C-alpha cells in the first residue's frame, strides 16, 4: 500500500488548460474555437447558471417566497420541567442555565415556557417568561425577574451610549 506522501494522479488523467486566442499558429486563434458569428460566438452570453436558451428561466418563473429578518430576535427556550434540576432557593440566570447545559449555541435572550411543572422555590432572572410559566413559578413560591434584552455583548454595551444596545420591550 502506498503512503499519502507518495500519492500521484494517474498518467493521462488530466489535460492542460485550453489557451485560446493566442494566434493562428496555435490552432485556436482568430475565432478561438467559437466559429463565426451567431449567439454562441458573442461574449457575455449564455455562460451563467440557469440560462435556458432564451426561455424564461426556472428561477424567474417560480414565485418569490420566504424572508429572514435581519432584526429577528432568537430566544433560547427553557421549560419549567428543565428548572426542576436546580436546588431550592437557587438563582437561575443565563450563566447557571449554560453551566447545566440547558442553553447552548447562539441566541439573543432566554425565554422560560410553561411546559411541565415546578415544585421548587426559585429566583429566575431571564429576558422573557410566558404567562403560564410566570404563574407556575410564583405559585411554587419563586419569583421572575425580567432582564432587558441586550442587542450586543454587555462589555460593548457598557462602552456604548446610555441606553444604546438595549432593545425596548414590546407591549
Amino acid at each position: 500500500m502506498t503512503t499519502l506522501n507518495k500519492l500521484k494522479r494517474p498518467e493521462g488523467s488530466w489535460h492542460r488548460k485550453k489557451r485560446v486566442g493566442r494566434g493562428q499558429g496555435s490552432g485556436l486563434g482568430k475565432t478561438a474555437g467559437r466559429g463565426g458569428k451567431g449567439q454562441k460566438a458573442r461574449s457575455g452570453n449564455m455562460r451563467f447558471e440557469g440560462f435556458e436558451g432564451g426561455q424564461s428561466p426556472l428561477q424567474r418563473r417560480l414565485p418569490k417566497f420566504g424572508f429572514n429578518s435581519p432584526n429577528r430576535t432568537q430566544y433560547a427556550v427553557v421549560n419549567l420541567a428543565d428548572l426542576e434540576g436546580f436546588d431550592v432557593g437557587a438563582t437561575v440566570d443565563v450563566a447557571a442555565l449554560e453551566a447545566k447545559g440547558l442553553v447552548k449555541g447562539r441566541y439573543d435572550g432566554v425565554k422560560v415556557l410553561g411546559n411541565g411543572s415546578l415544585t421548587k422555590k426559585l429566583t429566575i432572572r431571564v429576558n422573557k417568561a410566558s404567562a403560564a410559566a410566570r404563574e407556575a413559578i410564583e405559585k411554587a413560591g419563586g419569583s421572575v425577574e425580567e432582564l432587558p434584552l441586550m442587542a450586543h455583548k454587555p462589555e460593548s454595551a457598557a462602552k456604548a451610549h446610555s441606553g444604546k444596545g438595549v432593545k425596548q420591550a414590546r407591549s
Side-chain angles (χ1 to χ4, degrees), residues 125-146:
R125 301 182 76 231
V126 291
N127 304 105
K128 274 190 178 271
S130 70
R134 183 183 291 276
E135 187 182 320
I137 292 164
E138 288 169 357
K139 190 177 177 185
S143 63
V144 178
E145 187 182 327
E146 280 198 15

Side-chain angles (χ1 to χ4, degrees), residues 31-166:
T31 55
R34 289 173 175 249
K37 298 187 184 173
Q39 190 177 21
K40 290 185 180 176
R42 314 294 183 201
S43 68
N45 201 356
M46 298 193 329
R47 280 165 177 68
F48 56 86
E49 206 172 315
F51 182 73
E52 295 185 19
Q55 173 177 303
S56 193
L58 184 67
Q59 73 268 26
R60 284 185 53 209
R61 292 196 306 265
L62 295 175
K64 293 181 191 177
F65 64 92
F67 174 73
N68 284 331
S69 170
N71 302 320
R72 70 184 173 275
T73 307
Q74 200 87 35
Y75 285 102
V77 174
V78 178
N79 285 305
L80 287 176
D82 302 329
L83 299 176
E84 200 64 39
F86 287 94
D87 297 328
V88 178
T91 300
V92 180
D93 56 359
V94 177
L97 291 166
E98 282 177 346
K100 283 253 188 192
L102 296 172
V103 170
K104 296 176 189 163
R106 295 180 65 184
Y107 52 87
D108 297 319
V110 177
K111 183 170 184 174
V112 178
L113 298 180
N115 228 357
S117 61
L118 184 69
T119 56
K120 298 175 180 173
K121 178 183 176 183
L122 298 172
T123 305
I124 316 273
R125 301 182 76 231
V126 291
N127 304 105
K128 274 190 178 271
S130 70
R134 183 183 291 276
E135 187 182 320
I137 292 164
E138 288 169 357
K139 190 177 177 185
S143 63
V144 178
E145 187 182 327
E146 280 198 15
L147 307 171
L149 194 62
M150 299 301 284
H152 38 70
K153 292 189 173 111
E155 54 271 20
S156 306
K159 295 174 193 169
H161 301 199
S162 165
K164 188 176 177 183
V166 178

